[in-house]
Amino acid sequence: MNEPVSGIATPQSRPVPVRSSPSTGAPETGEPILVLRGGGVAVVVHLPDDGLPEVLHWGRDLGELTGADLAGLRSARARPVSPSALDDPWPLTLLPGEHDGWEGRPGFAAHRAGRIEHPRWTVAEAAAKPESLQVRAVAEGLALDIELVLDDAGVLRLHHELQNTAAGPLALTGLETVLPVGDRAGEVLDFTGRWTRERAPQRRPLAQGSHVRETRRGRTGHDAPFVLALGTPGFSTSTGEVWAVHLAWSGDAVYRHDALPEAKPLIGAGPLLRAGEIELAPGESFRTPAGVFVWSDTGTDGLGARLHRSLRSRAAHPRTPRPVVLNTWEAVYFQHDLGRLASLADTAASIGVERFVLDDGWFKGRRDDSAGLGDWTVDTGVWPEGLHPIADKVRSLGMQFGLWFEPEMVNPDSDLARAHPEWLLQPLDAGIRTWRGQYVLNVAHPDAFDYLLDAIGALVAEYRLDYIKWDQNRDLIEAVHDGRANVHRHTEAVYRLLDRLRADHPGLEIESCASGGARIDLGVLERTDRVWASDTNDPIERLAIQRWTELLLPLELIGSHIGPPVAHTTHRAASLDFRIATALFGHAGIEWDITSCTPSELEQLRAGINAYRRLRGLLHTGTLTHSETGDDGATATAVTNEDRSCAVVRLARHATASRALAPMLRVPGLDPNGRYRVAPVEELTVPRGLDDSPPPWLATGLVLPGSVLAEVGVQPPLLAPGEALVLELTRDA
Ligand code: DGJ
């Protein structure tokens, strides 16, 4: 529990101590009402004498409130008894259940040998700080620790930890974090997708009922709900109130929103627990991943701004300049050959690449994707001297060296699968379907865990790896161990493995990749340094994928590479200018056989890398906004630094414009009283555009007040699909 902070008096009548500072007792009942405040957000929580805490408000900060104000707030929210309903008013608690009177999806579901649990909770203890609240509630045979932490960015992390305090086992099938949202919410946004098309938004009116999205892929998934948001009707990139939830978890999940006729809407999320998956022995506990709740009154960009600020405040957030990456995958695939890779490294270093990552294909038996996974030793047929020649070469060129792994997977054609069939995550008496020719290793098996830790750790040490690209290329189905569903334990074990490797090898960076972007969540990001957003390097597809990945993650965490001229995943051609402009807004890299480039292509790549290296300080710390362009065929993305002295704006066109005159390009977030020099980023090519003569300022630059840039904007050229204009705005001294 938190350090108790003295504050409100504990009512004499109350059987349990409630220790808190930022709260007051409601005079008429003496029941404490606590306020968490941070980053312009307030969460007001009422602790009743009987039952679980109830959130009275989650949203805009309400300022300093007195005890009388809080009591008034509670009275104002007191609900009448509806017609044809329970005879008494009932509370919408932090873990709503039938005993409360809640008839939507319960927050908690458990049984003991088929006998359903309907706990009668009472708060036993609570401790609060201005930014956090911890509550222990008890019921017969159960104890529940609820933890709410509101950070300076206004992001609330909510956990439940349930303990079985009875003498017999408890089968837990649901424990979810939920919060009520404003009943003015009228629209829903969440996400779906598939391989090479991750995080596609879906928008719909809020309908009545308990609506549940389950993910049962054993990983976060290409089609993950990602962020579930309820907003006021018409909420947009920059306007409207929005309440959102994300589950910091890489296993199966439930995202839910409930709009029942008799209650305020709820949103929430929790781990998806299959029958028999979590059985708590006497004394055992289960802790949920964090439900990450964000409110904004400036649309989805407001959500993103809070989330980015919150992530950037983490102690382990990557703060060193994000190095330019060369990843070998689309350059050579499985054709590992020292001469070829050494010349790739030479070319990479010559244009300013800073990190060379050897992708799939280096380990025993891995000549294609049908064999080898699990055998984490270097293939001596291909690499007779181990990886030292390439690692030394890369280092001698001044670059970092990174290596690809897919630790959780095993090919049937591998020494590991032959030696340890009992380590596979599948029913013992029957095989499961393969996916990319592979099975899953049960990382929760202690021997499998130790094997991976030792094998990977040895390679990290031997080659002094700076970076691991940690891949995961299949969904988990029938992920059963000893007859029990095992996704949850497996996912926790993967987290432990990542944590151990990072602890054992300080400075090692890890990328979360899963068939592209199928494992992007704040659980894996607690132990990794960036994500691979997608396997598509087609810039048109990437613009859409990155645009919404940016809702959760700041640019420095999103791997974004310049691919070959014709994208391998879509067969669509794109200019190098456009590919550079797309990769610039992320943790940039290259994934292309650049030994085949012409001198002018190399020159252009060098210039693009120079632009990235010059601007990454701004791109990776600034505030990100997505402007409404008034044009379905174009997107405008801007990053402004903290003191608003400079900004970078990218206008990118993916489809033709509906009008011959492009809409004005407006740049929000600048100092309205500052004057800004506006000019194309000098290292990048200005696109030709479709106008017979381009807007004159493009050649000369322009100086404009921030207020004019925000409200009037500048006339951009009419870009052709597949063109991007990247501008730099610098405040005049
Ligand atoms: C899937 C990843 O997303 C790719 O980038 C690449 O690493 C391949 N796996 C290698 O098998």
Side-chain angles (χ1 to χ4, degrees):
M1 302 294 271
N2 272 358
E3 283 294 302
V5 184
S6 62
I8 60 156
T10 302
Q12 290 306 310
S13 59
R14 191 174 173 77
V16 293
V18 173
R19 294 161 295 184
S20 143
S21 65
S23 73
T24 185
E28 75 280 22
T29 62
E31 293 176 351
I33 302 175
L34 302 137
V35 185
L36 309 184
R37 296 174 69 193
V41 171
V43 182
V44 182
V45 186
H46 165 229
L47 298 185
D49 277 342
D50 190 21
L52 288 174
E54 190 182 12
V55 170
L56 303 181
H57 170 78
W58 165 41
R60 193 189 312 279
D61 189 8
L62 304 171
E64 293 287 339
L65 297 177
T66 64
D69 296 334
L70 288 170
L73 189 159
R74 188 175 166 217
S75 303
R77 293 221 14 167
R79 45 182 299 154
V81 173
S82 308
S84 184
L86 291 167
D87 290 334
D88 297 309
W90 51 271
L92 193 51
T93 71
L94 272 170
L95 203 60
E98 281 184 52
H99 173 61
D100 301 332
W102 169 249
E103 292 168 277
R105 180 182 171 84
F108 163 74
H111 65 91
R112 297 181 194 272
R115 296 175 67 86
I116 193 162
E117 287 283 327
H118 281 150
R120 268 61 175 157
W121 298 109
T122 51
V123 171
E125 197 176 345
K129 289 179 177 175
E131 72 291 350
S132 69
L133 169 63
Q134 303 213 347
V135 177
R136 169 157 267 233
V138 291
E140 194 185 333
L142 297 169
L144 175 71
D145 288 309
I146 302 173
E147 179 186 281
L148 296 104
V149 180
L150 180 65
D151 68 18
D152 288 346
V155 174
L156 181 80
R157 287 179 174 76
L158 172 55
H159 286 275
H160 294 309
E161 184 164 338
L162 183 89
Q163 189 186 17
N164 177 17
T165 57
L170 177 82
L172 181 67
T173 54
L175 191 61
E176 293 166 13
T177 56
V178 300
L179 283 185
V181 310
D183 47 14
R184 51 205 177 275
E187 284 184 46
V188 184
L189 167 72
D190 69 358
F191 295 84
T192 183
R194 60 160 167 82
W195 180 69
T196 65
R197 204 176 195 277
E198 296 88 340
R199 287 165 291 292
Q202 16 179 42
R203 188 87 181 246
R204 56 201 175 274
L206 175 63
Q208 293 280 310
S210 283
H211 297 263
V212 178
R213 274 197 65 196
E214 295 187 341
T215 65
R216 292 176 174 269
R217 299 186 181 278
R219 58 178 176 176
T220 323
H222 290 113
D223 64 341
F226 186 55
V227 172
L228 166 65
L230 264 57
T232 46
F235 75 87
S236 72
T237 292
S238 56
T239 63
E241 256 189 298
V242 195
W243 296 259
V245 64
H246 165 83
L247 189 69
W249 180 239
S250 312
D252 292 336
V254 173
Y255 280 75
R256 40 91 60 90
H257 62 88
D258 306 70
L260 300 194
E262 66 274 26
K264 303 215 180 313
L266 290 183
I267 56 170
L272 182 140
L273 304 177
R274 293 162 195 250
E277 186 161 12
I278 301 296
E279 189 164 288
L280 298 179
E284 276 186 350
S285 298
F286 176 87
R287 182 174 164 87
T288 63
V292 181
F293 291 84
V294 203
W295 167 84
S296 148
D297 60 353
T298 50
T300 50
D301 271 353
L303 297 177
R306 288 193 190 287
L307 286 160
H308 300 175
R309 201 165 351 128
S310 173
L311 291 171
R312 285 173 172 167
S313 69
R314 301 172 305 160
H317 190 75
R319 290 191 172 77
T320 53
R322 300 292 75 208
V324 181
V325 172
L326 183 293
N327 182 287
T328 61
W329 180 239
E330 291 201 0
V332 302
Y333 290 106
F334 290 106
Q335 308 309 309
H336 283 205
D337 168 87
L338 177 58
R340 191 166 170 202
L341 287 163
S343 102
L344 194 58
D346 277 326
T347 312
S350 76
I351 58 172
V353 168
E354 299 161 306
R355 174 181 284 167
F356 185 93
V357 181
L358 187 62
D359 209 284
D360 196 356
W362 56 268
F363 48 96
K364 189 163 177 235
R366 188 67 166 175
R367 303 306 347 116
D368 55 39
D369 65 8
S370 68
L373 285 175
D375 294 346
W376 300 111
T377 55
V378 178
D379 190 293
T380 47
V382 182
W383 297 99
E385 296 168 65
L387 297 177
H388 289 290
I390 189 65
D392 293 348
K393 169 82 182 173
V394 164
R395 290 243 161 66
S396 73
L397 291 165
M399 295 185 288
Q400 299 180 3
F401 185 57
L403 198 57
W404 181 96
F405 288 87
E406 194 177 358
E408 298 141 77
M409 297 295 156
V410 57
N411 287 118
D413 185 3
S414 66
D415 294 346
L416 186 74
R418 283 182 285 270
H420 292 290
E422 77 282 9
W423 290 2
L424 300 189
L425 191 48
Q426 62 181 25
L428 263 188
D429 50 351
I432 57 165
R433 291 171 188 273
T434 52
W435 177 311
R436 206 193 186 202
Q438 62 199 53
Y439 292 135
V440 186
L441 209 53
N442 179 12
V443 181
H445 191 300
D447 298 339
F449 182 96
D450 289 346
Y451 162 71
L452 289 173
L453 185 64
D454 292 349
I456 300 170
L459 288 155
V460 174
E462 180 173 0
Y463 295 108
R464 292 184 295 117
L465 297 183
D466 300 291
Y467 179 80
I468 286 179
K469 176 175 176 181
W470 186 294
D471 207 343
Q472 197 280 21
N473 283 304
R474 66 160 291 169
D475 287 355
L476 277 52
I477 53 169
E478 289 191 88
V480 170
H481 176 68
D482 254 353
R484 279 188 187 278
N486 208 44
V487 169
H488 199 90
R489 286 193 178 82
H490 169 84
T491 309
E492 287 179 333
V494 172
Y495 284 178
R496 277 200 306 280
L497 185 58
L498 285 158
D499 292 343
R500 279 290 303 275
L501 283 165
R502 278 160 64 98
D504 291 351
H505 305 279
L508 173 70
E509 291 197 10
I510 303 181
E511 172 179 57
S512 171
C513 169
S515 319
R519 185 149 67 189
I520 297 186
D521 61 77
L522 296 185
V524 80
L525 269 160
E526 282 303 308
R527 52 267 301 170
T528 52
D529 301 280
R530 70 169 220 170
V531 299
W532 183 227
S534 179
D535 268 349
T536 186
N537 290 315
D538 177 332
I540 298 256
E541 301 299 319
R542 271 290 180 144
L543 279 174
I545 294 166
Q546 289 174 202
R547 187 263 173 268
W548 287 110
T549 307
E550 291 158 12
L551 175 60
L552 186 68
L553 303 184
L555 296 182
E556 63 273 22
L557 299 182
I558 305 174
S560 176
H561 293 174
I562 300 164
V566 175
H568 292 185
T569 51
T570 58
H571 303 172
R572 180 160 47 196
S575 71
L576 184 51
D577 305 336
F578 194 54
R579 280 140 57 214
I580 291 173
T582 305
L584 181 69
F585 280 61
H587 177 183
I590 299 174
E591 197 159 329
W592 174 21
D593 182 4
I594 50 174
T595 59
S596 65
C597 286
T598 63
S600 87
E601 282 175 326
L602 288 177
E603 197 41 56
Q604 210 181 332
L605 278 171
R606 189 176 294 118
I609 288 174
N610 285 342
Y612 170 77
R613 288 167 59 157
R614 185 171 66 77
L615 296 171
R616 65 187 161 191
L618 160 59
L619 291 165
H620 295 172
T621 57
T623 302
L624 184 65
T625 52
H626 302 89
S627 309
E628 320 281 357
T629 56
D631 175 346
D632 286 349
T635 56
T637 312
V639 182
T640 311
N641 73 347
E642 208 180 330
D643 69 8
R644 300 189 294 179
S645 58
C646 44
V648 181
V649 183
R650 180 190 61 202
L651 178 66
R653 178 165 290 289
H654 56 271
T656 53
S658 56
R659 298 187 300 171
L661 182 66
M664 297 293 275
L665 175 62
R666 300 192 298 162
V667 186
L670 301 171
D671 175 1
N673 303 315
R675 297 172 67 77
Y676 293 84
R677 162 153 289 279
V678 185
V681 168
E682 63 184 14
E683 297 91 342
L684 305 182
T685 318
V686 176
R688 197 170 131 210
L690 295 170
D691 300 305
D692 283 347
S693 70
W697 67 266
L698 262 185
T700 57
L702 196 63
V703 176
L704 284 175
S707 58
V708 173
L709 280 159
E711 293 304 320
V712 181
V714 293
Q715 176 62 59
L718 182 65
L719 299 178
E723 286 185 336
L725 173 67
V726 189
L727 300 172
E728 197 168 346
L729 283 67
T730 321
R731 188 160 54 193
D732 266 6

Short mmCIF file of all heavy atoms in Angstrom, two decimals, residues 584-616:
data_model
loop_
_atom_site.label_atom_id
_atom_site.label_comp_id
_atom_site.label_asym_id
_atom_site.label_seq_id
_atom_site.Cartn_x
_atom_site.Cartn_y
_atom_site.Cartn_z
N LEU A 584 10.90 9.58 -42.11
CA LEU A 584 11.44 10.64 -41.25
C LEU A 584 10.65 10.78 -39.94
O LEU A 584 11.21 11.06 -38.89
CB LEU A 584 11.38 11.96 -42.04
CG LEU A 584 11.91 13.21 -41.39
CD1 LEU A 584 13.44 13.13 -41.25
CD2 LEU A 584 11.55 14.45 -42.25
N PHE A 585 9.33 10.59 -40.01
CA PHE A 585 8.48 10.77 -38.84
C PHE A 585 8.38 9.43 -38.08
O PHE A 585 7.36 8.76 -38.08
CB PHE A 585 7.10 11.28 -39.25
CG PHE A 585 7.08 12.76 -39.52
CD1 PHE A 585 7.86 13.30 -40.52
CD2 PHE A 585 6.27 13.61 -38.76
CE1 PHE A 585 7.85 14.67 -40.77
CE2 PHE A 585 6.26 14.98 -39.00
CZ PHE A 585 7.05 15.51 -40.01
N GLY A 586 9.46 9.07 -37.43
CA GLY A 586 9.49 7.82 -36.68
C GLY A 586 10.91 7.60 -36.21
O GLY A 586 11.73 8.53 -36.20
N HIS A 587 11.20 6.37 -35.79
CA HIS A 587 12.59 5.98 -35.55
C HIS A 587 13.06 5.41 -36.89
O HIS A 587 12.76 4.28 -37.24
CB HIS A 587 12.68 4.96 -34.42
CG HIS A 587 14.08 4.48 -34.20
ND1 HIS A 587 14.41 3.52 -33.27
CD2 HIS A 587 15.26 4.82 -34.78
CE1 HIS A 587 15.71 3.29 -33.31
NE2 HIS A 587 16.25 4.07 -34.23
N ALA A 588 13.82 6.21 -37.62
CA ALA A 588 14.01 5.96 -39.06
C ALA A 588 15.07 4.92 -39.34
O ALA A 588 16.00 4.71 -38.55
CB ALA A 588 14.36 7.26 -39.76
N GLY A 589 14.91 4.29 -40.48
CA GLY A 589 15.89 3.32 -40.94
C GLY A 589 15.70 3.01 -42.41
O GLY A 589 14.90 3.66 -43.09
N ILE A 590 16.44 2.01 -42.85
CA ILE A 590 16.41 1.60 -44.25
C ILE A 590 16.26 0.09 -44.28
O ILE A 590 16.85 -0.62 -43.45
CB ILE A 590 17.73 1.99 -44.96
CG1 ILE A 590 17.91 3.51 -44.94
CG2 ILE A 590 17.74 1.47 -46.40
CD1 ILE A 590 19.25 3.97 -45.49
N GLU A 591 15.47 -0.39 -45.21
CA GLU A 591 15.31 -1.84 -45.37
C GLU A 591 15.25 -2.10 -46.87
O GLU A 591 14.18 -2.26 -47.46
CB GLU A 591 14.04 -2.28 -44.67
CG GLU A 591 14.01 -3.76 -44.44
CD GLU A 591 13.05 -4.16 -43.32
OE1 GLU A 591 12.87 -3.37 -42.37
OE2 GLU A 591 12.49 -5.25 -43.42
N TRP A 592 16.43 -2.12 -47.49
CA TRP A 592 16.51 -2.09 -48.95
C TRP A 592 17.95 -2.46 -49.29
O TRP A 592 18.87 -2.09 -48.54
CB TRP A 592 16.16 -0.65 -49.39
CG TRP A 592 16.29 -0.30 -50.82
CD1 TRP A 592 16.29 -1.13 -51.90
CD2 TRP A 592 16.43 1.04 -51.34
NE1 TRP A 592 16.41 -0.40 -53.06
CE2 TRP A 592 16.50 0.94 -52.75
CE3 TRP A 592 16.48 2.31 -50.75
CZ2 TRP A 592 16.63 2.05 -53.57
CZ3 TRP A 592 16.61 3.42 -51.57
CH2 TRP A 592 16.68 3.29 -52.97
N ASP A 593 18.15 -3.15 -50.38
CA ASP A 593 19.51 -3.49 -50.79
C ASP A 593 20.16 -2.26 -51.40
O ASP A 593 20.14 -2.05 -52.62
CB ASP A 593 19.49 -4.65 -51.78
CG ASP A 593 20.91 -5.05 -52.18
OD1 ASP A 593 21.88 -4.47 -51.61
OD2 ASP A 593 21.06 -5.93 -53.05
N ILE A 594 20.74 -1.44 -50.55
CA ILE A 594 21.28 -0.16 -51.02
C ILE A 594 22.59 -0.33 -51.79
O ILE A 594 23.11 0.65 -52.33
CB ILE A 594 21.44 0.86 -49.87
CG1 ILE A 594 22.18 0.24 -48.69
CG2 ILE A 594 20.10 1.40 -49.44
CD1 ILE A 594 22.51 1.22 -47.59
N THR A 595 23.10 -1.56 -51.85
CA THR A 595 24.28 -1.76 -52.72
C THR A 595 23.88 -1.63 -54.19
O THR A 595 24.72 -1.46 -55.05
CB THR A 595 24.94 -3.13 -52.49
OG1 THR A 595 23.98 -4.15 -52.76
CG2 THR A 595 25.44 -3.28 -51.07
N SER A 596 22.56 -1.73 -54.44
CA SER A 596 22.10 -1.61 -55.84
C SER A 596 21.72 -0.17 -56.19
O SER A 596 21.25 0.09 -57.29
CB SER A 596 20.90 -2.52 -56.05
OG SER A 596 19.83 -2.06 -55.25
N CYS A 597 21.89 0.75 -55.26
CA CYS A 597 21.46 2.14 -55.51
C CYS A 597 22.40 2.86 -56.48
O CYS A 597 23.60 2.60 -56.51
CB CYS A 597 21.44 2.93 -54.20
SG CYS A 597 20.08 2.53 -53.14
N THR A 598 21.84 3.80 -57.21
CA THR A 598 22.65 4.66 -58.06
C THR A 598 23.33 5.70 -57.16
O THR A 598 22.87 5.95 -56.03
CB THR A 598 21.78 5.41 -59.07
OG1 THR A 598 20.88 6.24 -58.33
CG2 THR A 598 20.98 4.44 -59.94
N PRO A 599 24.40 6.33 -57.66
CA PRO A 599 25.04 7.38 -56.84
C PRO A 599 24.04 8.47 -56.44
O PRO A 599 24.09 8.98 -55.32
CB PRO A 599 26.13 7.93 -57.77
CG PRO A 599 26.44 6.79 -58.70
CD PRO A 599 25.14 6.03 -58.89
N SER A 600 23.13 8.82 -57.33
CA SER A 600 22.22 9.90 -56.94
C SER A 600 21.22 9.42 -55.88
O SER A 600 20.83 10.18 -55.00
CB SER A 600 21.53 10.50 -58.17
OG SER A 600 20.38 9.79 -58.48
N GLU A 601 20.83 8.16 -55.94
CA GLU A 601 19.96 7.64 -54.87
C GLU A 601 20.70 7.65 -53.53
O GLU A 601 20.14 8.01 -52.49
CB GLU A 601 19.51 6.21 -55.20
CG GLU A 601 18.39 6.14 -56.24
CD GLU A 601 18.05 4.71 -56.64
OE1 GLU A 601 18.96 3.85 -56.69
OE2 GLU A 601 16.87 4.45 -56.93
N LEU A 602 21.96 7.26 -53.57
CA LEU A 602 22.74 7.26 -52.32
C LEU A 602 22.87 8.68 -51.79
O LEU A 602 22.79 8.92 -50.58
CB LEU A 602 24.12 6.63 -52.54
CG LEU A 602 24.12 5.11 -52.73
CD1 LEU A 602 25.53 4.60 -53.01
CD2 LEU A 602 23.55 4.40 -51.50
N GLU A 603 23.08 9.62 -52.70
CA GLU A 603 23.20 11.02 -52.29
C GLU A 603 21.91 11.49 -51.62
O GLU A 603 21.91 12.17 -50.59
CB GLU A 603 23.54 11.88 -53.51
CG GLU A 603 24.08 13.26 -53.18
CD GLU A 603 25.07 13.25 -52.00
OE1 GLU A 603 26.09 12.50 -52.03
OE2 GLU A 603 24.79 13.96 -51.02
N GLN A 604 20.80 11.08 -52.22
CA GLN A 604 19.50 11.48 -51.67
C GLN A 604 19.26 10.82 -50.30
O GLN A 604 18.72 11.45 -49.39
CB GLN A 604 18.42 11.04 -52.66
CG GLN A 604 17.22 11.95 -52.63
CD GLN A 604 16.15 11.49 -53.60
OE1 GLN A 604 16.48 10.86 -54.62
NE2 GLN A 604 14.92 11.81 -53.28
N LEU A 605 19.66 9.57 -50.19
CA LEU A 605 19.52 8.89 -48.89
C LEU A 605 20.38 9.58 -47.84
O LEU A 605 19.95 9.80 -46.70
CB LEU A 605 19.97 7.43 -49.01
CG LEU A 605 18.95 6.43 -49.56
CD1 LEU A 605 19.61 5.08 -49.81
CD2 LEU A 605 17.78 6.27 -48.59
N ARG A 606 21.61 9.94 -48.24
CA ARG A 606 22.51 10.62 -47.29
C ARG A 606 21.86 11.93 -46.82
O ARG A 606 21.87 12.25 -45.63
CB ARG A 606 23.85 10.89 -47.97
CG ARG A 606 24.93 11.39 -47.04
CD ARG A 606 26.28 11.55 -47.74
NE ARG A 606 26.85 10.29 -48.17
CZ ARG A 606 27.10 9.95 -49.45
NH1 ARG A 606 26.85 10.81 -50.43
NH2 ARG A 606 27.62 8.78 -49.75
N ALA A 607 21.27 12.65 -47.77
CA ALA A 607 20.64 13.92 -47.40
C ALA A 607 19.44 13.68 -46.48
O ALA A 607 19.24 14.40 -45.49
CB ALA A 607 20.20 14.65 -48.67
N GLY A 608 18.66 12.64 -46.77
CA GLY A 608 17.51 12.33 -45.93
C GLY A 608 17.95 11.96 -44.52
O GLY A 608 17.34 12.37 -43.52
N ILE A 609 19.02 11.18 -44.44
CA ILE A 609 19.55 10.80 -43.13
C ILE A 609 20.07 12.03 -42.39
O ILE A 609 19.85 12.19 -41.18
CB ILE A 609 20.64 9.72 -43.29
CG1 ILE A 609 19.97 8.40 -43.70
CG2 ILE A 609 21.46 9.55 -42.02
CD1 ILE A 609 20.93 7.28 -44.04
N ASN A 610 20.72 12.91 -43.11
CA ASN A 610 21.17 14.16 -42.48
C ASN A 610 20.00 14.94 -41.91
O ASN A 610 20.08 15.49 -40.80
CB ASN A 610 21.94 15.02 -43.48
CG ASN A 610 23.33 14.47 -43.74
OD1 ASN A 610 23.84 13.66 -42.96
ND2 ASN A 610 23.94 14.88 -44.85
N ALA A 611 18.91 15.00 -42.68
CA ALA A 611 17.73 15.72 -42.20
C ALA A 611 17.22 15.05 -40.92
O ALA A 611 16.91 15.72 -39.92
CB ALA A 611 16.64 15.73 -43.26
N TYR A 612 17.14 13.72 -40.94
CA TYR A 612 16.65 12.99 -39.76
C TYR A 612 17.55 13.25 -38.56
O TYR A 612 17.07 13.55 -37.46
CB TYR A 612 16.59 11.49 -40.08
CG TYR A 612 16.34 10.62 -38.88
CD1 TYR A 612 15.06 10.51 -38.32
CD2 TYR A 612 17.38 9.90 -38.29
CE1 TYR A 612 14.83 9.70 -37.21
CE2 TYR A 612 17.15 9.08 -37.19
CZ TYR A 612 15.89 8.99 -36.64
OH TYR A 612 15.67 8.19 -35.55
N ARG A 613 18.87 13.17 -38.80
CA ARG A 613 19.78 13.35 -37.67
C ARG A 613 19.72 14.77 -37.13
O ARG A 613 19.88 15.00 -35.93
CB ARG A 613 21.19 12.95 -38.09
CG ARG A 613 21.29 11.43 -38.24
CD ARG A 613 22.53 10.95 -38.93
NE ARG A 613 23.74 11.34 -38.25
CZ ARG A 613 24.91 10.70 -38.39
NH1 ARG A 613 24.98 9.63 -39.17
NH2 ARG A 613 25.97 11.11 -37.78
N ARG A 614 19.48 15.72 -38.00
CA ARG A 614 19.39 17.11 -37.55
C ARG A 614 18.07 17.37 -36.81
O ARG A 614 18.02 18.12 -35.84
CB ARG A 614 19.52 18.04 -38.76
CG ARG A 614 19.57 19.52 -38.41
CD ARG A 614 19.91 20.36 -39.62
NE ARG A 614 18.89 20.34 -40.65
CZ ARG A 614 17.74 21.02 -40.61
NH1 ARG A 614 17.46 21.78 -39.57
NH2 ARG A 614 16.87 20.94 -41.60
N LEU A 615 17.00 16.71 -37.28
CA LEU A 615 15.67 17.04 -36.75
C LEU A 615 15.19 16.06 -35.67
O LEU A 615 14.15 16.31 -35.05
CB LEU A 615 14.65 17.06 -37.89
CG LEU A 615 14.88 18.14 -38.95
CD1 LEU A 615 13.93 17.93 -40.14
CD2 LEU A 615 14.67 19.54 -38.35
N ARG A 616 15.91 14.95 -35.44
CA ARG A 616 15.34 13.94 -34.53
C ARG A 616 15.18 14.45 -33.11
O ARG A 616 14.28 14.00 -32.39
CB ARG A 616 16.14 12.63 -34.58
CG ARG A 616 17.55 12.72 -34.08
CD ARG A 616 18.31 11.41 -34.32
NE ARG A 616 19.75 11.62 -34.27
CZ ARG A 616 20.65 10.72 -34.65
NH1 ARG A 616 20.27 9.54 -35.12
NH2 ARG A 616 21.93 10.98 -34.58
#
